[in-house]
Amino acid sequence: MERKGGAPPSTAARPRNNIRSHASTEGVFNGGATVGYSPGPMTLLSNLFGDGDECKSFSELLAGAIVDPTPPQFFLDSPSQAVEWSNIRKDKIINKMVNVREHYMKESDAAKGHFGMTDQQMLAQVTHSNVQIQAEHPFSTAVPATTLTQFHSPSVNADKPNEDGYNWRKYGQKHVKGSDFSRSYYKCTHPNCPVKKKLERSLGGHVTAIIYKGEHNHPRPHPSKTTRGTLTSTENSDKSKEEMSSQMDLESSQATAEHGSGTSDSDHETEVDEKNDEPDRKRRNTEARHQDPDSLHRTVAEPRIVVQTTSEVDLLDDGYRWQCEMHGFTVCRSYYKCTTPGCNVRKHVERASTDPKAVITTYEGKHNHDVPAARTNSHTLANNNASQLKEQNATPNETHRFSSRGVGGYEQRPVENLRLKEEHIT
DNA sequence: ATGGTTTGACCCCTT
DNA sequence: TAAGGGGTCAAACCA
């Protein structure tokens, strides 16, 4: 790489006394200053499956997942992984999962057919609790933090850090040890905005993952004000998307206002591959890529976008229409497919492990169409009045408005999605 | 003058 | 306790 800048000739003499002094927000992210908040696999699984009375409705939801004969993709990948899982939770959950897997394997052909997704499509789907998905594995996950929010930008171009409408300043880059990946670190340039994001790129420069952390405490900058005009012409000219952008701005503002500050003190993100249950997080990040070289190719086309949110605003309702995908033989879970014909965008919604109010949504692909007008309107209306939204959400019956979409599932909002929302406001 | 990038060094968490 | 590595800093440089 051509060196445009330059490291100080004598960094050893550089004063570093204040390196962590301004870490009020920094610590929020670096996982260091925030005292040991890094849930491990046990915690994650415990939260994922519910181990008590916590997140009851969500636990029920997850319990349903256990009953669901459709195992997550990772569970099918390797029997040994299933064994590892059992080492984590040897209780009922794992036993059920094993049974599920056995059952599922018997139905492998048909079941895989039900998955209806290619490996590529499975990529980035993601995660579970506050999770981070990484490119190396279809179900790699991560743990998060509690209040991590970034709003989905459906047409984001990952190759351009601020094509999501915000302005970013790169503050670091690292080569991912033992791999051909490099990771770039960006901060939102808006004053006092704590949001950061990481872009992982393959050797060829293709973005394989985008990980947002934090919550913008400001509206999205006007496209014309974004640095270097990195918004694409399509975006700039796309009224619908601008409207959506505005909606997201509003959501962001509301979310921020309702949360008091952009981030929680407990904000923290740990990039992991929890469901692989590899004990070494660091190793996971590097070895997994080697173990699955094909993942590189799979992720080149469409980087994953991980959205972590705890906003009380309906972030799950992102303006697009989603149809729940049937996985297995029972009701659909948290996997959705854009209902627009020809659009292959999918998303996966999951509950955060560390914060029952947090929800992680992982998007895969780009919408090749505008936000549905009708949905846009309702979405706008829904978000133009936070209090109104709260009232709506506070009335469970009113949130249970989903319609059957015929074969394959329901249009959002499906039951589990609704449950997430209900829990969100309780 | 301003703001973004580069990159070696450093901090500190995890193992 | 030590090692490894992720995340970050910040001087130098570029646009």
mmCIF file of all heavy atoms in Angstrom, chain C:
data_model
loop_
_atom_site.group_PDB
_atom_site.id
_atom_site.type_symbol
_atom_site.label_atom_id
_atom_site.label_comp_id
_atom_site.label_asym_id
_atom_site.label_seq_id
_atom_site.Cartn_x
_atom_site.Cartn_y
_atom_site.Cartn_z
ATOM 1 P P DT C 1 1.694 -11.531 39.123
ATOM 2 O OP1 DT C 1 2.834 -10.866 39.759
ATOM 3 O OP2 DT C 1 0.483 -10.813 38.756
ATOM 4 O "O5'" DT C 1 2.193 -12.333 37.822
ATOM 5 C "C5'" DT C 1 3.186 -13.344 37.984
ATOM 6 C "C4'" DT C 1 3.633 -13.782 36.615
ATOM 7 O "O4'" DT C 1 2.575 -14.553 35.985
ATOM 8 C "C3'" DT C 1 3.932 -12.627 35.675
ATOM 9 O "O3'" DT C 1 5.118 -12.939 34.933
ATOM 10 C "C2'" DT C 1 2.732 -12.561 34.751
ATOM 11 C "C1'" DT C 1 2.270 -14.000 34.725
ATOM 12 N N1 DT C 1 0.798 -14.144 34.530
ATOM 13 C C2 DT C 1 0.361 -15.033 33.587
ATOM 14 O O2 DT C 1 1.113 -15.696 32.899
ATOM 15 N N3 DT C 1 -0.991 -15.115 33.483
ATOM 16 C C4 DT C 1 -1.932 -14.421 34.213
ATOM 17 O O4 DT C 1 -3.133 -14.595 34.020
ATOM 18 C C5 DT C 1 -1.406 -13.502 35.175
ATOM 19 C C7 DT C 1 -2.338 -12.699 36.009
ATOM 20 C C6 DT C 1 -0.092 -13.421 35.295
ATOM 21 P P DA C 2 5.666 -11.831 33.991
ATOM 22 O OP1 DA C 2 7.132 -11.855 34.090
ATOM 23 O OP2 DA C 2 4.919 -10.561 34.132
ATOM 24 O "O5'" DA C 2 5.257 -12.488 32.578
ATOM 25 C "C5'" DA C 2 5.519 -13.872 32.378
ATOM 26 C "C4'" DA C 2 5.059 -14.289 30.990
ATOM 27 O "O4'" DA C 2 3.619 -14.435 30.983
ATOM 28 C "C3'" DA C 2 5.389 -13.284 29.891
ATOM 29 O "O3'" DA C 2 5.884 -13.993 28.754
ATOM 30 C "C2'" DA C 2 4.067 -12.593 29.593
ATOM 31 C "C1'" DA C 2 3.039 -13.654 29.961
ATOM 32 N N9 DA C 2 1.791 -13.126 30.496
ATOM 33 C C8 DA C 2 1.630 -12.156 31.438
ATOM 34 N N7 DA C 2 0.373 -11.896 31.729
ATOM 35 C C5 DA C 2 -0.338 -12.769 30.922
ATOM 36 C C6 DA C 2 -1.717 -12.997 30.761
ATOM 37 N N6 DA C 2 -2.651 -12.347 31.452
ATOM 38 N N1 DA C 2 -2.088 -13.935 29.872
ATOM 39 C C2 DA C 2 -1.147 -14.591 29.187
ATOM 40 N N3 DA C 2 0.180 -14.463 29.252
ATOM 41 C C4 DA C 2 0.515 -13.530 30.154
ATOM 42 P P DA C 3 6.353 -13.177 27.520
ATOM 43 O OP1 DA C 3 7.609 -13.799 27.055
ATOM 44 O OP2 DA C 3 6.288 -11.717 27.783
ATOM 45 O "O5'" DA C 3 5.185 -13.539 26.480
ATOM 46 C "C5'" DA C 3 4.755 -14.897 26.400
ATOM 47 C "C4'" DA C 3 3.604 -15.001 25.416
ATOM 48 O "O4'" DA C 3 2.388 -14.546 26.049
ATOM 49 C "C3'" DA C 3 3.782 -14.162 24.150
ATOM 50 O "O3'" DA C 3 3.408 -14.945 23.030
ATOM 51 C "C2'" DA C 3 2.850 -12.978 24.355
ATOM 52 C "C1'" DA C 3 1.768 -13.554 25.257
ATOM 53 N N9 DA C 3 1.163 -12.592 26.181
ATOM 54 C C8 DA C 3 1.802 -11.683 26.971
ATOM 55 N N7 DA C 3 1.001 -10.971 27.724
ATOM 56 C C5 DA C 3 -0.256 -11.452 27.411
ATOM 57 C C6 DA C 3 -1.542 -11.111 27.873
ATOM 58 N N6 DA C 3 -1.772 -10.173 28.791
ATOM 59 N N1 DA C 3 -2.594 -11.784 27.363
ATOM 60 C C2 DA C 3 -2.364 -12.726 26.437
ATOM 61 N N3 DA C 3 -1.204 -13.133 25.923
ATOM 62 C C4 DA C 3 -0.175 -12.445 26.463
ATOM 63 P P DG C 4 3.595 -14.337 21.596
ATOM 64 O OP1 DG C 4 4.068 -15.427 20.715
ATOM 65 O OP2 DG C 4 4.320 -13.049 21.659
ATOM 66 O "O5'" DG C 4 2.080 -14.016 21.224
ATOM 67 C "C5'" DG C 4 1.076 -15.002 21.483
ATOM 68 C "C4'" DG C 4 -0.274 -14.458 21.079
ATOM 69 O "O4'" DG C 4 -0.776 -13.595 22.121
ATOM 70 C "C3'" DG C 4 -0.267 -13.628 19.794
ATOM 71 O "O3'" DG C 4 -1.330 -14.064 18.962
ATOM 72 C "C2'" DG C 4 -0.461 -12.190 20.265
ATOM 73 C "C1'" DG C 4 -1.210 -12.371 21.576
ATOM 74 N N9 DG C 4 -0.949 -11.356 22.582
ATOM 75 C C8 DG C 4 0.279 -10.845 22.948
ATOM 76 N N7 DG C 4 0.210 -9.951 23.906
ATOM 77 C C5 DG C 4 -1.147 -9.865 24.177
ATOM 78 C C6 DG C 4 -1.826 -9.059 25.127
ATOM 79 O O6 DG C 4 -1.357 -8.245 25.924
ATOM 80 N N1 DG C 4 -3.196 -9.280 25.085
ATOM 81 C C2 DG C 4 -3.838 -10.160 24.237
ATOM 82 N N2 DG C 4 -5.159 -10.235 24.340
ATOM 83 N N3 DG C 4 -3.203 -10.906 23.347
ATOM 84 C C4 DG C 4 -1.870 -10.715 23.377
ATOM 85 P P DG C 5 -1.410 -13.489 17.502
ATOM 86 O OP1 DG C 5 -1.920 -14.596 16.668
ATOM 87 O OP2 DG C 5 -0.160 -12.799 17.139
ATOM 88 O "O5'" DG C 5 -2.560 -12.405 17.648
ATOM 89 C "C5'" DG C 5 -3.772 -12.768 18.303
ATOM 90 C "C4'" DG C 5 -4.583 -11.522 18.619
ATOM 91 O "O4'" DG C 5 -3.978 -10.798 19.702
ATOM 92 C "C3'" DG C 5 -4.707 -10.532 17.449
ATOM 93 O "O3'" DG C 5 -6.069 -10.196 17.315
ATOM 94 C "C2'" DG C 5 -3.889 -9.331 17.905
ATOM 95 C "C1'" DG C 5 -4.043 -9.422 19.418
ATOM 96 N N9 DG C 5 -2.995 -8.760 20.177
ATOM 97 C C8 DG C 5 -1.645 -8.810 19.953
ATOM 98 N N7 DG C 5 -0.953 -8.111 20.809
ATOM 99 C C5 DG C 5 -1.904 -7.566 21.653
ATOM 100 C C6 DG C 5 -1.758 -6.723 22.778
ATOM 101 O O6 DG C 5 -0.716 -6.268 23.260
ATOM 102 N N1 DG C 5 -2.991 -6.410 23.353
ATOM 103 C C2 DG C 5 -4.202 -6.858 22.899
ATOM 104 N N2 DG C 5 -5.278 -6.465 23.574
ATOM 105 N N3 DG C 5 -4.353 -7.645 21.854
ATOM 106 C C4 DG C 5 -3.170 -7.961 21.275
ATOM 107 P P DG C 6 -6.560 -9.508 16.007
ATOM 108 O OP1 DG C 6 -7.295 -10.505 15.216
ATOM 109 O OP2 DG C 6 -5.468 -8.738 15.390
ATOM 110 O "O5'" DG C 6 -7.617 -8.496 16.635
ATOM 111 C "C5'" DG C 6 -8.521 -8.966 17.632
ATOM 112 C "C4'" DG C 6 -9.094 -7.797 18.404
ATOM 113 O "O4'" DG C 6 -8.072 -7.236 19.255
ATOM 114 C "C3'" DG C 6 -9.604 -6.660 17.534
ATOM 115 O "O3'" DG C 6 -10.781 -6.119 18.121
ATOM 116 C "C2'" DG C 6 -8.448 -5.660 17.552
ATOM 117 C "C1'" DG C 6 -7.859 -5.875 18.944
ATOM 118 N N9 DG C 6 -6.428 -5.625 19.049
ATOM 119 C C8 DG C 6 -5.432 -6.131 18.254
ATOM 120 N N7 DG C 6 -4.238 -5.748 18.601
ATOM 121 C C5 DG C 6 -4.451 -4.944 19.709
ATOM 122 C C6 DG C 6 -3.525 -4.247 20.539
ATOM 123 O O6 DG C 6 -2.289 -4.194 20.445
ATOM 124 N N1 DG C 6 -4.158 -3.552 21.549
ATOM 125 C C2 DG C 6 -5.519 -3.531 21.754
ATOM 126 N N2 DG C 6 -5.951 -2.798 22.781
ATOM 127 N N3 DG C 6 -6.393 -4.178 21.004
ATOM 128 C C4 DG C 6 -5.797 -4.860 20.000
ATOM 129 P P DG C 7 -11.605 -5.032 17.327
ATOM 130 O OP1 DG C 7 -13.005 -5.249 17.696
ATOM 131 O OP2 DG C 7 -11.198 -5.024 15.913
ATOM 132 O "O5'" DG C 7 -11.108 -3.670 18.002
ATOM 133 C "C5'" DG C 7 -11.318 -3.493 19.402
ATOM 134 C "C4'" DG C 7 -10.657 -2.218 19.859
ATOM 135 O "O4'" DG C 7 -9.226 -2.372 19.829
ATOM 136 C "C3'" DG C 7 -10.983 -0.975 19.016
ATOM 137 O "O3'" DG C 7 -11.421 0.050 19.882
ATOM 138 C "C2'" DG C 7 -9.655 -0.629 18.348
ATOM 139 C "C1'" DG C 7 -8.641 -1.177 19.347
ATOM 140 N N9 DG C 7 -7.344 -1.534 18.779
ATOM 141 C C8 DG C 7 -7.092 -2.311 17.676
ATOM 142 N N7 DG C 7 -5.822 -2.461 17.420
ATOM 143 C C5 DG C 7 -5.187 -1.737 18.411
ATOM 144 C C6 DG C 7 -3.805 -1.519 18.654
ATOM 145 O O6 DG C 7 -2.834 -1.939 18.018
ATOM 146 N N1 DG C 7 -3.585 -0.724 19.780
ATOM 147 C C2 DG C 7 -4.588 -0.198 20.564
ATOM 148 N N2 DG C 7 -4.209 0.543 21.600
ATOM 149 N N3 DG C 7 -5.890 -0.390 20.355
ATOM 150 C C4 DG C 7 -6.106 -1.160 19.263
ATOM 151 P P DT C 8 -11.937 1.400 19.272
ATOM 152 O OP1 DT C 8 -13.004 1.890 20.147
ATOM 153 O OP2 DT C 8 -12.135 1.253 17.821
ATOM 154 O "O5'" DT C 8 -10.654 2.336 19.487
ATOM 155 C "C5'" DT C 8 -10.126 2.471 20.804
ATOM 156 C "C4'" DT C 8 -8.833 3.255 20.779
ATOM 157 O "O4'" DT C 8 -7.802 2.465 20.151
ATOM 158 C "C3'" DT C 8 -8.907 4.575 20.025
ATOM 159 O "O3'" DT C 8 -8.778 5.633 20.956
ATOM 160 C "C2'" DT C 8 -7.733 4.533 19.052
ATOM 161 C "C1'" DT C 8 -6.900 3.365 19.551
ATOM 162 N N1 DT C 8 -6.187 2.605 18.487
ATOM 163 C C2 DT C 8 -4.810 2.570 18.532
ATOM 164 O O2 DT C 8 -4.161 3.138 19.395
ATOM 165 N N3 DT C 8 -4.224 1.851 17.527
ATOM 166 C C4 DT C 8 -4.870 1.166 16.513
ATOM 167 O O4 DT C 8 -4.233 0.549 15.659
ATOM 168 C C5 DT C 8 -6.306 1.241 16.529
ATOM 169 C C7 DT C 8 -7.091 0.535 15.472
ATOM 170 C C6 DT C 8 -6.885 1.943 17.508
ATOM 171 P P DC C 9 -8.813 7.120 20.417
ATOM 172 O OP1 DC C 9 -9.491 7.900 21.468
ATOM 173 O OP2 DC C 9 -9.250 7.184 19.025
ATOM 174 O "O5'" DC C 9 -7.260 7.478 20.471
ATOM 175 C "C5'" DC C 9 -6.503 7.099 21.614
ATOM 176 C "C4'" DC C 9 -5.043 7.454 21.404
ATOM 177 O "O4'" DC C 9 -4.440 6.547 20.466
ATOM 178 C "C3'" DC C 9 -4.809 8.863 20.878
ATOM 179 O "O3'" DC C 9 -3.783 9.477 21.628
ATOM 180 C "C2'" DC C 9 -4.396 8.652 19.429
ATOM 181 C "C1'" DC C 9 -3.766 7.269 19.459
ATOM 182 N N1 DC C 9 -3.895 6.471 18.206
ATOM 183 C C2 DC C 9 -2.765 5.906 17.612
ATOM 184 O O2 DC C 9 -1.660 6.107 18.114
ATOM 185 N N3 DC C 9 -2.921 5.154 16.497
ATOM 186 C C4 DC C 9 -4.132 4.959 15.986
ATOM 187 N N4 DC C 9 -4.236 4.202 14.890
ATOM 188 C C5 DC C 9 -5.299 5.536 16.576
ATOM 189 C C6 DC C 9 -5.138 6.275 17.667
ATOM 190 P P DA C 10 -3.737 11.045 21.730
ATOM 191 O OP1 DA C 10 -3.106 11.355 23.040
ATOM 192 O OP2 DA C 10 -5.028 11.617 21.368
ATOM 193 O "O5'" DA C 10 -2.692 11.406 20.576
ATOM 194 C "C5'" DA C 10 -1.385 10.859 20.642
ATOM 195 C "C4'" DA C 10 -0.668 11.073 19.322
ATOM 196 O "O4'" DA C 10 -1.156 10.132 18.344
ATOM 197 C "C3'" DA C 10 -0.880 12.469 18.717
ATOM 198 O "O3'" DA C 10 0.338 12.892 18.107
ATOM 199 C "C2'" DA C 10 -1.911 12.212 17.625
ATOM 200 C "C1'" DA C 10 -1.465 10.828 17.154
ATOM 201 N N9 DA C 10 -2.476 10.073 16.439
ATOM 202 C C8 DA C 10 -3.832 10.194 16.486
ATOM 203 N N7 DA C 10 -4.480 9.359 15.709
ATOM 204 C C5 DA C 10 -3.472 8.627 15.116
ATOM 205 C C6 DA C 10 -3.483 7.580 14.183
ATOM 206 N N6 DA C 10 -4.605 7.067 13.666
ATOM 207 N N1 DA C 10 -2.290 7.074 13.787
ATOM 208 C C2 DA C 10 -1.174 7.592 14.300
ATOM 209 N N3 DA C 10 -1.025 8.574 15.185
ATOM 210 C C4 DA C 10 -2.225 9.050 15.552
ATOM 211 P P DA C 11 0.718 14.415 18.244
ATOM 212 O OP1 DA C 11 1.096 14.671 19.642
ATOM 213 O OP2 DA C 11 -0.319 15.228 17.581
ATOM 214 O "O5'" DA C 11 2.027 14.458 17.346
ATOM 215 C "C5'" DA C 11 3.074 13.511 17.586
ATOM 216 C "C4'" DA C 11 3.706 13.088 16.283
ATOM 217 O "O4'" DA C 11 2.799 12.217 15.559
ATOM 218 C "C3'" DA C 11 4.036 14.240 15.343
ATOM 219 O "O3'" DA C 11 5.284 13.981 14.702
ATOM 220 C "C2'" DA C 11 2.888 14.237 14.338
ATOM 221 C "C1'" DA C 11 2.495 12.767 14.283
ATOM 222 N N9 DA C 11 1.078 12.521 14.042
ATOM 223 C C8 DA C 11 0.018 13.180 14.601
ATOM 224 N N7 DA C 11 -1.154 12.724 14.206
ATOM 225 C C5 DA C 11 -0.833 11.693 13.335
ATOM 226 C C6 DA C 11 -1.623 10.800 12.586
ATOM 227 N N6 DA C 11 -2.956 10.797 12.589
ATOM 228 N N1 DA C 11 -0.987 9.895 11.820
ATOM 229 C C2 DA C 11 0.352 9.891 11.806
ATOM 230 N N3 DA C 11 1.214 10.668 12.472
ATOM 231 C C4 DA C 11 0.541 11.557 13.228
ATOM 232 P P DA C 12 5.924 15.083 13.807
ATOM 233 O OP1 DA C 12 7.378 14.973 14.021
ATOM 234 O OP2 DA C 12 5.229 16.380 13.991
ATOM 235 O "O5'" DA C 12 5.577 14.547 12.343
ATOM 236 C "C5'" DA C 12 5.975 13.226 11.988
ATOM 237 C "C4'" DA C 12 5.402 12.862 10.632
ATOM 238 O "O4'" DA C 12 3.985 12.642 10.753
ATOM 239 C "C3'" DA C 12 5.598 13.928 9.549
ATOM 240 O "O3'" DA C 12 6.135 13.313 8.391
ATOM 241 C "C2'" DA C 12 4.190 14.462 9.305
ATOM 242 C "C1'" DA C 12 3.324 13.267 9.677
ATOM 243 N N9 DA C 12 1.977 13.596 10.129
ATOM 244 C C8 DA C 12 1.597 14.554 11.025
ATOM 245 N N7 DA C 12 0.306 14.615 11.245
ATOM 246 C C5 DA C 12 -0.204 13.609 10.431
ATOM 247 C C6 DA C 12 -1.509 13.157 10.213
ATOM 248 N N6 DA C 12 -2.598 13.665 10.805
ATOM 249 N N1 DA C 12 -1.673 12.123 9.344
ATOM 250 C C2 DA C 12 -0.598 11.613 8.749
ATOM 251 N N3 DA C 12 0.686 11.956 8.874
ATOM 252 C C4 DA C 12 0.816 12.968 9.747
ATOM 253 P P DC C 13 6.599 14.251 7.225
ATOM 254 O OP1 DC C 13 7.768 13.584 6.626
ATOM 255 O OP2 DC C 13 6.664 15.646 7.665
ATOM 256 O "O5'" DC C 13 5.372 14.105 6.214
ATOM 257 C "C5'" DC C 13 4.958 12.800 5.824
ATOM 258 C "C4'" DC C 13 3.587 12.857 5.187
ATOM 259 O "O4'" DC C 13 2.609 13.227 6.169
ATOM 260 C "C3'" DC C 13 3.443 13.866 4.053
ATOM 261 O "O3'" DC C 13 3.282 13.160 2.829
ATOM 262 C "C2'" DC C 13 2.189 14.655 4.402
ATOM 263 C "C1'" DC C 13 1.529 13.811 5.479
ATOM 264 N N1 DC C 13 0.697 14.564 6.447
ATOM 265 C C2 DC C 13 -0.653 14.266 6.539
ATOM 266 O O2 DC C 13 -1.125 13.389 5.816
ATOM 267 N N3 DC C 13 -1.429 14.964 7.400
ATOM 268 C C4 DC C 13 -0.875 15.909 8.166
ATOM 269 N N4 DC C 13 -1.671 16.582 9.008
ATOM 270 C C5 DC C 13 0.524 16.213 8.100
ATOM 271 C C6 DC C 13 1.261 15.521 7.238
ATOM 272 P P DC C 14 3.214 13.948 1.505
ATOM 273 O OP1 DC C 14 3.917 13.126 0.498
ATOM 274 O OP2 DC C 14 3.588 15.362 1.724
ATOM 275 O "O5'" DC C 14 1.651 13.897 1.196
ATOM 276 C "C5'" DC C 14 0.977 12.638 1.246
ATOM 277 C "C4'" DC C 14 -0.507 12.834 0.987
ATOM 278 O "O4'" DC C 14 -1.111 13.462 2.137
ATOM 279 C "C3'" DC C 14 -0.816 13.731 -0.214
ATOM 280 O "O3'" DC C 14 -1.829 13.124 -1.000
ATOM 281 C "C2'" DC C 14 -1.302 15.036 0.411
ATOM 282 C "C1'" DC C 14 -1.897 14.564 1.736
ATOM 283 N N1 DC C 14 -1.849 15.570 2.823
ATOM 284 C C2 DC C 14 -3.025 15.933 3.472
ATOM 285 O O2 DC C 14 -4.090 15.420 3.107
ATOM 286 N N3 DC C 14 -2.969 16.838 4.484
ATOM 287 C C4 DC C 14 -1.798 17.358 4.843
ATOM 288 N N4 DC C 14 -1.796 18.240 5.847
ATOM 289 C C5 DC C 14 -0.581 17.005 4.197
ATOM 290 C C6 DC C 14 -0.655 16.111 3.196
ATOM 291 P P DA C 15 -2.124 13.683 -2.418
ATOM 292 O OP1 DA C 15 -2.375 12.516 -3.285
ATOM 293 O OP2 DA C 15 -1.109 14.690 -2.779
ATOM 294 O "O5'" DA C 15 -3.509 14.446 -2.182
ATOM 295 C "C5'" DA C 15 -4.610 13.728 -1.651
ATOM 296 C "C4'" DA C 15 -5.813 14.642 -1.529
ATOM 297 O "O4'" DA C 15 -5.669 15.467 -0.350
ATOM 298 C "C3'" DA C 15 -5.994 15.593 -2.700
ATOM 299 O "O3'" DA C 15 -7.379 15.689 -3.012
ATOM 300 C "C2'" DA C 15 -5.479 16.920 -2.182
ATOM 301 C "C1'" DA C 15 -5.813 16.826 -0.695
ATOM 302 N N9 DA C 15 -4.933 17.593 0.174
ATOM 303 C C8 DA C 15 -3.581 17.735 0.085
ATOM 304 N N7 DA C 15 -3.058 18.489 1.030
ATOM 305 C C5 DA C 15 -4.140 18.863 1.802
ATOM 306 C C6 DA C 15 -4.254 19.657 2.949
ATOM 307 N N6 DA C 15 -3.227 20.231 3.554
ATOM 308 N N1 DA C 15 -5.497 19.829 3.465
ATOM 309 C C2 DA C 15 -6.536 19.250 2.857
ATOM 310 N N3 DA C 15 -6.549 18.478 1.767
ATOM 311 C C4 DA C 15 -5.304 18.320 1.290
#
